[in-house]
Coordinates of all heavy atoms in Angstrom, one line a residue:
M1 N 77.3 82.5 125.4 CA 77.3 81.3 124.6 C 78.1 80.2 125.3 O 79.3 80.4 125.5 CB 77.9 81.7 123.2 CG 77.9 80.5 122.3 SD 78.8 80.9 120.7 CE 77.5 81.6 119.8
N2 N 77.5 79.2 125.7 CA 78.2 78.1 126.4 C 78.8 77.1 125.3 O 78.1 76.8 124.4 CB 77.2 77.3 127.3 CG 76.8 78.2 128.4 OD1 77.5 79.1 128.8 ND2 75.7 77.9 129.0
R3 N 80.0 76.7 125.6 CA 80.7 75.8 124.7 C 81.2 74.7 125.5 O 81.8 74.9 126.6 CB 81.8 76.4 123.9 CG 81.4 77.3 122.8 CD 82.5 77.6 121.9 NE 83.1 78.8 122.4 CZ 84.3 79.3 121.9 NH1 84.9 78.6 121.0 NH2 84.8 80.4 122.3
A4 N 81.1 73.5 125.0 CA 81.8 72.3 125.7 C 83.3 72.5 125.5 O 83.8 73.0 124.5 CB 81.3 71.0 125.1
R5 N 84.0 72.0 126.5 CA 85.5 72.1 126.5 C 86.0 71.3 125.3 O 85.6 70.2 125.0 CB 86.0 71.5 127.8 CG 87.5 71.7 127.8 CD 88.0 71.2 129.2 NE 88.1 72.5 130.0 CZ 88.7 72.5 131.1 NH1 89.3 71.5 131.6 NH2 88.8 73.7 131.8
G6 N 86.9 72.0 124.5 CA 87.5 71.3 123.4 C 86.7 71.4 122.1 O 87.1 71.0 121.0
S7 N 85.5 72.0 122.2 CA 84.7 72.1 120.9 C 85.2 73.2 120.1 O 85.7 74.2 120.6 CB 83.2 72.2 121.2 OG 83.0 73.5 121.8
K8 N 85.0 73.1 118.8 CA 85.5 74.2 117.9 C 84.3 74.7 117.2 O 83.5 74.0 116.7 CB 86.5 73.6 116.9 CG 87.8 73.2 117.5 CD 88.7 72.7 116.4 CE 90.0 72.3 117.1 NZ 91.0 71.8 116.1
T9 N 84.1 76.0 117.3 CA 83.0 76.7 116.5 C 83.7 77.7 115.6 O 84.8 78.2 115.8 CB 82.1 77.4 117.5 OG1 82.8 78.4 118.2 CG2 81.4 76.5 118.4
T10 N 83.0 78.0 114.5 CA 83.5 79.0 113.6 C 82.6 80.2 113.7 O 81.5 80.2 114.2 CB 83.4 78.4 112.1 OG1 82.0 78.1 111.8 CG2 84.2 77.1 112.0
W11 N 83.2 81.3 113.1 CA 82.5 82.6 113.2 C 81.2 82.4 112.4 O 80.2 83.1 112.7 CB 83.4 83.7 112.6 CG 82.7 84.9 112.4 CD1 82.4 85.5 111.2 CD2 82.1 85.8 113.4 NE1 81.7 86.7 111.4 CE2 81.5 86.9 112.7 CE3 82.0 85.8 114.8 CZ2 80.9 87.9 113.4 CZ3 81.4 86.8 115.4 CH2 80.8 87.8 114.8
S12 N 81.2 81.6 111.3 CA 80.0 81.5 110.5 C 78.8 80.9 111.3 O 77.7 81.0 110.9 CB 80.3 80.7 109.2 OG 80.7 79.4 109.6
S13 N 79.1 80.2 112.4 CA 78.0 79.7 113.2 C 77.4 80.7 114.2 O 76.5 80.4 114.9 CB 78.5 78.4 113.9 OG 79.5 78.7 114.9
H14 N 78.1 81.8 114.3 CA 77.7 82.9 115.2 C 76.4 83.5 114.7 O 76.3 83.8 113.5 CB 78.8 83.9 115.4 CG 78.6 84.8 116.6 ND1 77.8 85.9 116.5 CD2 79.0 84.8 117.8 CE1 77.8 86.6 117.6 NE2 78.5 85.9 118.5
P15 N 75.4 83.8 115.5 CA 74.2 84.4 115.1 C 74.3 85.7 114.3 O 73.7 86.0 113.3 CB 73.3 84.6 116.4 CG 73.9 83.7 117.3 CD 75.3 83.5 117.0
A16 N 75.3 86.6 114.8 CA 75.5 87.8 114.1 C 76.1 87.6 112.6 O 75.7 88.3 111.7 CB 76.5 88.7 114.8
A17 N 76.9 86.6 112.5 CA 77.4 86.3 111.2 C 76.3 85.8 110.3 O 76.3 86.0 109.1 CB 78.6 85.3 111.3
Q18 N 75.5 85.0 110.8 CA 74.4 84.4 110.0 C 73.4 85.5 109.6 O 73.0 85.5 108.4 CB 73.6 83.4 110.8 CG 74.4 82.1 111.1 CD 73.8 81.2 112.1 OE1 72.8 81.5 112.6 NE2 74.4 80.0 112.2
A19 N 73.2 86.5 110.4 CA 72.3 87.6 110.0 C 73.0 88.5 109.0 O 72.4 88.9 108.0 CB 72.0 88.5 111.3
G20 N 74.3 88.7 109.1 CA 75.1 89.4 108.1 C 75.1 88.7 106.8 O 74.9 89.3 105.7
A21 N 75.3 87.4 106.8 CA 75.2 86.6 105.6 C 73.9 86.8 104.9 O 73.8 86.9 103.6 CB 75.6 85.2 105.8
K22 N 72.9 86.8 105.6 CA 71.5 87.0 105.1 C 71.4 88.3 104.4 O 70.8 88.5 103.3 CB 70.5 86.8 106.2 CG 69.1 86.4 105.7 CD 68.2 86.1 106.9 CE 66.9 85.6 106.4 NZ 66.0 85.3 107.5
N23 N 71.9 89.4 105.0 CA 71.9 90.7 104.5 C 72.7 90.8 103.2 O 72.3 91.6 102.3 CB 72.4 91.7 105.5 CG 71.5 91.9 106.7 OD1 70.3 91.6 106.6 ND2 72.1 92.3 107.8
W24 N 73.8 90.0 103.1 CA 74.6 90.1 101.9 C 73.9 89.5 100.7 O 74.4 89.6 99.5 CB 75.9 89.4 102.1 CG 76.9 90.3 102.9 CD1 77.2 90.1 104.2 CD2 77.5 91.5 102.5 NE1 78.0 91.1 104.7 CE2 78.2 91.9 103.6 CE3 77.6 92.2 101.3 CZ2 79.0 93.1 103.6 CZ3 78.4 93.3 101.3 CH2 79.1 93.8 102.4
L25 N 72.8 88.8 100.9 CA 72.1 88.2 99.7 C 71.5 89.3 98.8 O 71.2 89.0 97.7 CB 71.0 87.3 100.2 CG 71.4 86.0 100.9 CD1 70.2 85.3 101.5 CD2 72.1 85.1 99.9
Q26 N 71.3 90.5 99.4 CA 70.7 91.5 98.6 C 71.7 92.4 97.9 O 71.4 93.5 97.5 CB 69.9 92.4 99.6 CG 68.9 91.6 100.4 CD 67.9 90.9 99.5 OE1 67.4 91.4 98.5 NE2 67.5 89.7 99.9
I27 N 72.9 92.0 97.7 CA 74.0 92.8 97.2 C 73.8 93.0 95.7 O 74.3 94.0 95.2 CB 75.4 92.2 97.5 CG1 76.5 93.2 97.6 CG2 75.8 91.2 96.5 CD1 76.4 94.1 98.8
G28 N 73.2 92.2 94.9 CA 72.9 92.4 93.5 C 73.6 91.5 92.6 O 73.1 91.2 91.5
H29 N 74.7 90.9 92.9 CA 75.4 89.9 92.1 C 76.0 88.9 92.9 O 76.5 89.2 94.0 CB 76.5 90.7 91.2 CG 77.1 89.8 90.1 ND1 78.1 88.9 90.4 CD2 76.7 89.7 88.8 CE1 78.4 88.3 89.2 NE2 77.6 88.8 88.3
L30 N 76.1 87.7 92.5 CA 76.6 86.6 93.3 C 78.0 86.8 93.7 O 78.4 86.4 94.8 CB 76.5 85.2 92.5 CG 75.0 84.7 92.3 CD1 75.0 83.5 91.4 CD2 74.4 84.4 93.7
K31 N 78.9 87.4 92.8 CA 80.3 87.5 93.2 C 80.6 88.8 93.9 O 81.7 89.0 94.4 CB 81.1 87.5 91.9 CG 81.1 86.1 91.2 CD 82.0 86.1 90.0 CE 81.9 84.7 89.3 NZ 82.7 84.7 88.1
A32 N 79.6 89.7 94.0 CA 79.8 91.0 94.6 C 80.0 90.9 96.1 O 80.9 91.6 96.7 CB 78.7 92.0 94.3
G33 N 79.3 90.0 96.8 CA 79.4 89.9 98.2 C 80.8 89.5 98.7 O 81.4 90.1 99.5
P34 N 81.4 88.4 98.1 CA 82.7 88.0 98.5 C 83.8 89.0 98.2 O 84.7 89.2 98.9 CB 83.0 86.7 97.7 CG 81.6 86.1 97.5 CD 80.7 87.3 97.3
R35 N 83.6 89.8 97.1 CA 84.5 90.8 96.7 C 84.5 92.0 97.7 O 85.5 92.5 98.1 CB 84.2 91.3 95.3 CG 84.6 90.4 94.2 CD 84.3 90.9 92.9 NE 84.6 89.9 91.9 CZ 84.0 89.9 90.7 NH1 83.2 90.8 90.3 NH2 84.4 88.9 89.8
L36 N 83.3 92.4 98.1 CA 83.2 93.4 99.1 C 83.7 92.9 100.5 O 84.3 93.7 101.2 CB 81.7 93.8 99.3 CG 81.2 94.8 98.2 CD1 79.7 95.0 98.3 CD2 81.9 96.1 98.3
D37 N 83.5 91.7 100.8 CA 84.0 91.1 102.0 C 85.6 91.3 102.0 O 86.1 91.6 103.1 CB 83.6 89.6 102.1 CG 84.1 89.0 103.4 OD1 84.0 89.6 104.5 OD2 84.6 87.9 103.3
R38 N 86.2 90.9 100.9 CA 87.7 91.1 100.9 C 88.1 92.5 101.0 O 89.1 92.9 101.7 CB 88.2 90.5 99.6 CG 88.1 89.0 99.6 CD 88.7 88.4 98.3 NE 88.1 87.1 98.0 CZ 87.3 86.9 97.0 NH1 87.0 87.8 96.2 NH2 86.8 85.7 96.9
L39 N 87.4 93.4 100.3 CA 87.7 94.9 100.4 C 87.5 95.4 101.9 O 88.4 96.1 102.4 CB 86.8 95.7 99.5 CG 87.0 97.2 99.5 CD1 88.4 97.5 99.1 CD2 86.0 97.9 98.6
F40 N 86.5 95.0 102.5 CA 86.2 95.4 103.9 C 87.3 94.8 104.8 O 87.7 95.5 105.8 CB 84.9 95.0 104.4 CG 83.7 95.7 103.7 CD1 82.5 95.2 103.6 CD2 83.9 97.0 103.1 CE1 81.4 95.8 102.9 CE2 82.9 97.6 102.4 CZ 81.6 97.1 102.4
T41 N 87.8 93.6 104.5 CA 88.9 93.0 105.3 C 90.1 93.9 105.2 O 90.8 94.1 106.2 CB 89.1 91.6 104.9 OG1 87.9 90.8 105.1 CG2 90.2 91.0 105.7
V42 N 90.5 94.3 104.0 CA 91.7 95.1 103.8 C 91.5 96.5 104.5 O 92.4 96.9 105.2 CB 91.9 95.4 102.3 CG1 93.0 96.4 102.0 CG2 92.3 94.1 101.6
V43 N 90.4 97.1 104.4 CA 90.1 98.4 105.1 C 90.2 98.2 106.6 O 90.9 99.0 107.3 CB 88.7 98.9 104.7 CG1 88.4 100.1 105.5 CG2 88.8 99.3 103.2
E44 N 89.7 97.1 107.1 CA 89.7 96.9 108.6 C 91.2 96.7 109.0 O 91.6 97.1 110.1 CB 88.8 95.8 109.0 CG 88.7 95.7 110.5 CD 88.2 96.9 111.2 OE1 87.4 97.7 110.6 OE2 88.5 97.1 112.4
N45 N 91.9 95.9 108.2 CA 93.3 95.7 108.6 C 94.1 97.0 108.5 O 95.0 97.2 109.3 CB 94.0 94.7 107.6 CG 93.6 93.2 108.0 OD1 93.5 92.9 109.1 ND2 93.3 92.4 107.0
C46 N 93.8 97.9 107.6 CA 94.4 99.2 107.6 C 94.1 99.9 108.9 O 95.0 100.5 109.5 CB 94.0 100.0 106.4 SG 94.6 99.5 104.8
R47 N 92.9 99.9 109.3 CA 92.5 100.6 110.5 C 93.2 100.1 111.7 O 93.7 100.8 112.6 CB 91.0 100.6 110.7 CG 90.3 101.4 109.7 CD 88.8 101.5 110.0 NE 88.2 102.3 109.0 CZ 87.0 102.0 108.5 NH1 86.3 101.0 109.0 NH2 86.4 102.8 107.5
L48 N 93.3 98.8 111.8 CA 94.0 98.1 112.9 C 95.5 98.5 112.9 O 96.1 98.6 114.0 CB 93.8 96.6 112.9 CG 92.4 96.1 113.2 CD1 92.3 94.6 112.9 CD2 92.0 96.4 114.6
A49 N 96.1 98.7 111.8 CA 97.5 99.0 111.7 C 97.8 100.5 111.8 O 98.9 101.0 111.8 CB 98.1 98.5 110.4
G50 N 96.7 101.3 111.8 CA 96.8 102.8 111.9 C 97.2 103.4 110.6 O 97.9 104.4 110.6
V51 N 96.7 102.8 109.5 CA 97.0 103.3 108.2 C 95.8 103.9 107.5 O 94.7 103.3 107.7 CB 97.5 102.1 107.3 CG1 97.7 102.5 105.8 CG2 98.8 101.5 107.8
D52 N 95.9 105.0 106.8 CA 94.8 105.5 106.1 C 94.4 104.6 104.9 O 95.2 104.4 104.0 CB 95.2 106.9 105.5 CG 94.1 107.5 104.7 OD1 92.9 107.2 104.9 OD2 94.5 108.3 103.7
P53 N 93.2 104.0 105.0 CA 92.9 103.0 103.9 C 92.9 103.6 102.5 O 93.3 102.9 101.6 CB 91.5 102.6 104.3 CG 91.3 102.9 105.7 CD 92.2 104.1 106.0
E54 N 92.5 104.8 102.3 CA 92.5 105.4 101.0 C 93.9 105.5 100.4 O 94.2 105.2 99.3 CB 91.8 106.7 101.0 CG 91.6 107.3 99.6 CD 90.9 108.7 99.6 OE1 90.5 109.1 100.7 OE2 90.7 109.2 98.5
A55 N 94.8 106.1 101.2 CA 96.2 106.2 100.8 C 96.8 104.9 100.5 O 97.6 104.7 99.5 CB 97.0 107.0 101.8
Y56 N 96.5 103.9 101.4 CA 97.1 102.6 101.2 C 96.6 102.0 99.9 O 97.4 101.4 99.1 CB 96.7 101.7 102.4 CG 97.0 100.2 102.2 CD1 98.4 99.8 102.3 CD2 96.1 99.3 101.9 CE1 98.7 98.5 102.2 CE2 96.4 98.0 101.7 CZ 97.7 97.6 101.8 OH 98.0 96.2 101.7
L57 N 95.3 102.0 99.6 CA 94.8 101.4 98.4 C 95.3 102.1 97.2 O 95.6 101.4 96.1 CB 93.3 101.4 98.4 CG 92.7 100.4 99.4 CD1 91.2 100.6 99.6 CD2 93.0 99.0 99.0
I58 N 95.4 103.4 97.2 CA 95.9 104.2 96.0 C 97.4 103.7 95.7 O 97.7 103.4 94.6 CB 95.9 105.7 96.3 CG1 94.4 106.2 96.2 CG2 96.7 106.4 95.3 CD1 94.2 107.6 96.7
D59 N 98.2 103.6 96.8 CA 99.6 103.2 96.6 C 99.7 101.7 96.2 O 100.4 101.3 95.3 CB 100.4 103.4 97.9 CG 101.9 103.1 97.7 OD1 102.5 103.7 96.8 OD2 102.4 102.2 98.4
L60 N 98.8 100.9 96.8 CA 98.8 99.5 96.5 C 98.5 99.2 95.0 O 99.2 98.4 94.3 CB 97.8 98.7 97.4 CG 97.7 97.2 97.2 CD1 99.0 96.5 97.7 CD2 96.5 96.7 97.9
I61 N 97.4 99.9 94.6 CA 97.0 99.7 93.2 C 98.1 100.1 92.2 O 98.3 99.5 91.2 CB 95.7 100.4 92.9 CG1 94.6 99.6 93.7 CG2 95.4 100.4 91.4 CD1 93.3 100.4 93.7
A62 N 98.8 101.2 92.5 CA 99.9 101.7 91.7 C 101.1 100.7 91.7 O 101.7 100.5 90.6 CB 100.3 103.1 92.1
R63 N 101.4 100.2 92.8 CA 102.6 99.3 92.9 C 102.5 97.9 92.6 O 103.4 97.2 92.3 CB 103.2 99.5 94.4 CG 103.7 100.9 94.7 CD 104.1 101.0 96.1 NE 105.1 100.0 96.5 CZ 105.4 99.8 97.8 NH1 104.9 100.5 98.7 NH2 106.3 98.9 98.1
L64 N 101.3 97.4 92.8 CA 101.0 95.9 92.7 C 101.4 95.3 91.3 O 102.0 94.2 91.3 CB 99.6 95.6 93.0 CG 99.2 94.2 93.3 CD1 100.1 93.7 94.5 CD2 97.8 94.1 93.7
P65 N 101.2 95.9 90.2 CA 101.5 95.3 88.9 C 103.0 95.0 88.7 O 103.4 94.0 88.1 CB 101.1 96.2 87.8 CG 100.0 97.0 88.5 CD 100.4 97.1 89.9
D66 N 103.9 95.8 89.3 CA 105.4 95.6 89.1 C 106.1 95.1 90.3 O 107.3 94.9 90.3 CB 106.0 97.0 88.8 CG 105.5 97.6 87.5 OD1 105.1 96.8 86.6 OD2 105.4 98.8 87.4
H67 N 105.3 94.8 91.4 CA 105.9 94.3 92.6 C 106.2 92.8 92.5 O 105.4 92.0 92.1 CB 105.0 94.6 93.8 CG 105.7 94.6 95.1 ND1 106.4 95.6 95.6 CD2 105.8 93.6 96.1 CE1 106.9 95.3 96.7 NE2 106.5 94.1 97.1
P68 N 107.4 92.4 92.9 CA 107.8 91.0 92.9 C 106.9 90.2 93.9 O 106.7 90.6 95.0 CB 109.2 90.9 93.2 CG 109.7 92.3 93.6 CD 108.6 93.2 93.3
M69 N 106.5 89.0 93.5 CA 105.7 88.1 94.3 C 106.4 87.7 95.6 O 105.8 87.6 96.6 CB 105.2 86.9 93.5 CG 104.2 86.1 94.3 SD 102.7 87.0 94.5 CE 101.6 85.8 94.7
K70 N 107.7 87.6 95.5 CA 108.5 87.1 96.7 C 108.5 88.2 97.8 O 108.8 87.8 98.9 CB 110.0 86.9 96.3 CG 110.2 85.7 95.3 CD 111.6 85.6 94.9 CE 111.8 84.5 93.9 NZ 113.2 84.5 93.4
R71 N 108.2 89.4 97.4 CA 108.2 90.5 98.4 C 106.8 91.0 98.7 O 106.6 92.2 99.1 CB 109.1 91.6 98.0 CG 110.6 91.2 97.9 CD 111.5 92.3 97.4 NE 111.1 93.6 97.5 CZ 111.3 94.6 96.6 NH1 112.0 94.3 95.5 NH2 110.8 95.8 96.8
I72 N 105.8 90.2 98.5 CA 104.4 90.6 98.7 C 104.1 91.0 100.1 O 103.3 91.9 100.3 CB 103.4 89.5 98.2 CG1 102.1 90.2 97.8 CG2 103.3 88.4 99.1 CD1 102.1 90.9 96.5
A73 N 104.8 90.5 101.1 CA 104.6 90.8 102.5 C 104.9 92.3 102.8 O 104.3 92.8 103.7 CB 105.4 89.9 103.4
E74 N 105.7 92.9 101.9 CA 106.0 94.3 102.1 C 104.8 95.2 101.9 O 104.7 96.4 102.3 CB 107.1 94.8 101.1 CG 108.4 94.1 101.4 CD 109.4 94.4 100.3 OE1 109.1 95.2 99.4 OE2 110.5 93.9 100.3
L75 N 103.8 94.7 101.2 CA 102.6 95.5 100.8 C 101.5 95.3 101.9 O 100.4 95.9 101.7 CB 102.1 95.1 99.4 CG 103.1 95.3 98.3 CD1 102.5 94.9 97.0 CD2 103.5 96.8 98.3
L76 N 101.6 94.5 102.9 CA 100.6 94.4 103.9 C 100.6 95.6 104.7 O 101.6 96.3 104.9 CB 100.9 93.2 104.8 CG 100.9 91.8 104.1 CD1 101.3 90.7 105.1 CD2 99.5 91.5 103.6
P77 N 99.4 96.0 105.2 CA 99.3 97.3 105.9 C 100.3 97.6 107.0 O 100.9 98.7 107.0 CB 97.9 97.3 106.4 CG 97.1 96.4 105.5 CD 98.1 95.4 105.1
H78 N 100.6 96.7 107.9 CA 101.5 96.9 108.9 C 102.9 97.1 108.4 O 103.7 97.9 109.0 CB 101.5 95.8 110.0 CG 101.9 94.5 109.5 ND1 101.1 93.7 108.8 CD2 103.1 93.9 109.6 CE1 101.8 92.6 108.5 NE2 103.0 92.7 109.0
A79 N 103.3 96.4 107.4 CA 104.7 96.6 106.8 C 104.7 97.8 105.9 O 105.8 98.5 105.8 CB 105.1 95.3 106.0
W80 N 103.6 98.1 105.3 CA 103.6 99.3 104.4 C 103.7 100.6 105.2 O 104.3 101.6 104.7 CB 102.2 99.3 103.7 CG 102.0 100.4 102.7 CD1 102.3 100.4 101.4 CD2 101.3 101.6 102.9 NE1 101.9 101.6 100.8 CE2 101.3 102.4 101.7 CE3 100.7 102.2 104.1 CZ2 100.7 103.6 101.6 CZ3 100.1 103.4 104.0 CH2 100.1 104.1 102.8
K81 N 103.3 100.6 106.4 CA 103.3 101.8 107.3 C 104.7 102.1 107.7 O 105.1 103.3 107.8 CB 102.4 101.5 108.5 CG 102.4 102.6 109.5 CD 101.5 102.3 110.7 CE 101.6 103.4 111.7 NZ 100.8 103.1 112.8
K82 N 105.6 101.1 107.9 CA 106.9 101.4 108.5 C 107.8 102.4 107.7 O 108.3 103.3 108.3 CB 107.7 100.0 108.6 CG 107.1 99.2 109.7 CD 107.8 97.8 109.8 CE 107.2 97.0 110.8 NZ 107.7 95.6 110.9
P83 N 107.9 102.2 106.4 CA 108.7 103.3 105.7 C 108.1 104.7 105.7 O 108.8 105.6 105.7 CB 108.8 102.8 104.2 CG 108.2 101.4 104.2 CD 107.5 101.2 105.5
R84 N 106.8 104.7 105.8 CA 106.1 106.0 105.8 C 106.3 106.7 107.2 O 106.2 107.9 107.3 CB 104.7 105.9 105.4 CG 104.5 105.8 103.9 CD 103.5 104.8 103.5 NE 103.6 104.5 102.1 CZ 104.4 103.7 101.5 NH1 105.2 103.0 102.3 NH2 104.5 103.5 100.3
V85 N 106.4 105.9 108.2 CA 106.6 106.5 109.6 C 108.0 107.1 109.6 O 108.2 108.2 110.2 CB 106.4 105.5 110.7 CG1 106.8 106.0 112.0 CG2 105.0 105.0 110.7
A86 N 109.0 106.4 109.0 CA 110.4 106.9 109.0 C 110.5 108.2 108.2 O 111.2 109.1 108.6 CB 111.3 105.8 108.5
A87 N 109.9 108.2 107.0 CA 109.9 109.4 106.2 C 108.5 109.7 105.7 O 108.1 109.2 104.6 CB 110.9 109.1 105.0
P88 N 107.8 110.5 106.4 CA 106.4 110.7 106.0 C 106.3 111.5 104.7 O 107.0 112.5 104.5 CB 105.8 111.5 107.2 CG 106.9 112.0 108.0 CD 108.1 111.1 107.7
A89 N 105.5 111.0 103.8 CA 105.3 111.7 102.5 C 103.9 112.3 102.5 O 103.0 111.9 103.4 CB 105.4 110.7 101.4
E90 N 103.7 113.2 101.6 CA 102.3 113.8 101.5 C 101.3 112.7 101.1 O 101.6 112.0 100.1 CB 102.4 114.9 100.5 CG 101.1 115.7 100.4 CD 101.2 116.8 99.5 OE1 102.2 117.5 99.5 OE2 100.2 117.0 98.8
I91 N 100.2 112.6 101.7 CA 99.2 111.7 101.4 C 98.5 112.2 100.1 O 98.1 113.3 100.0 CB 98.2 111.6 102.5 CG1 98.8 111.0 103.8 CG2 97.0 110.7 102.1 CD1 98.0 110.9 105.0
P92 N 98.4 111.3 99.1 CA 97.8 111.7 97.9 C 96.3 112.1 98.1 O 95.6 111.5 98.8 CB 97.9 110.5 97.0 CG 98.2 109.4 97.8 CD 98.8 109.9 99.1
Q93 N 95.9 113.2 97.4 CA 94.6 113.7 97.5 C 93.7 113.1 96.4 O 94.2 112.9 95.3 CB 94.5 115.3 97.4 CG 95.3 115.9 98.5 CD 94.7 115.7 99.9 OE1 93.5 115.7 100.0 NE2 95.5 115.4 100.9
P94 N 92.5 112.8 96.7 CA 91.6 112.2 95.7 C 91.4 113.2 94.6 O 91.3 114.4 94.8 CB 90.4 111.8 96.4 CG 90.4 112.5 97.7 CD 91.8 112.9 98.0
V95 N 91.3 112.7 93.4 CA 91.0 113.6 92.2 C 89.5 113.7 92.1 O 88.8 112.7 92.1 CB 91.6 112.9 91.0 CG1 91.3 113.8 89.7 CG2 93.1 112.8 91.1
V96 N 89.1 114.9 92.0 CA 87.6 115.2 91.8 C 87.4 115.4 90.3 O 88.0 116.3 89.7 CB 87.2 116.5 92.6 CG1 85.7 116.8 92.4 CG2 87.5 116.3 94.1
V97 N 86.5 114.6 89.8 CA 86.2 114.7 88.4 C 84.8 115.4 88.3 O 83.8 115.0 88.9 CB 86.1 113.3 87.7 CG1 85.6 113.4 86.3 CG2 87.3 112.6 87.9
A98 N 84.8 116.5 87.5 CA 83.6 117.3 87.4 C 82.7 116.8 86.3 O 83.1 116.2 85.4 CB 83.9 118.8 87.2

């Protein structure tokens, strides 16, 4: 892809992003696509930080209601991982409902 010097392009102008956006039209509800996009972003950030996405989301959902807004950065995946590396805890197992 050739670009003129100093030009700015966005990811949304990339052909792969355009194809992906077209695929998201079939999601079923107008608000479902952006919500899934945010969820996939959280999961990918967990993977980049070396964090188990399931354990992170379970802990995040439990802690978020009582967590002070001033300390929200502590809940980001890379910061969330630090206390667990120092003192590893057992990863919660998913509950199977029969």
Side-chain angles (χ1 to χ4, degrees):
M1 181 187 273
N2 292 335
R3 283 196 268 173
R5 184 174 264 197
S7 69
K8 293 183 180 178
T9 59
T10 61
W11 172 248
S12 61
S13 65
H14 193 275
Q18 291 171 355
K22 201 172 186 182
N23 291 337
W24 285 105
L25 291 174
Q26 306 301 321
I27 209 72
H29 191 277
L30 289 175
K31 294 182 180 180
R35 288 177 183 160
L36 281 173
D37 181 45
R38 288 184 206 111
L39 177 62
F40 293 154
T41 300
V42 170
V43 169
E44 188 59 28
N45 280 322
C46 286
R47 288 186 183 144
L48 290 172
V51 172
D52 175 31
E54 184 179 2
Y56 172 75
L57 288 170
I58 289 170
D59 185 58
L60 180 70
I61 291 169
R63 292 175 54 191
L64 199 55
D66 299 327
H67 199 78
M69 188 65 159
K70 293 177 185 175
R71 295 178 23 216
I72 203 76
E74 295 172 3
L75 298 179
L76 296 174
H78 66 278
W80 182 86
K81 179 182 178 181
K82 289 178 185 176
R84 279 138 193 87
V85 171
E90 185 177 319
I91 296 175
Q93 297 297 318
V95 177
V96 178
V97 178

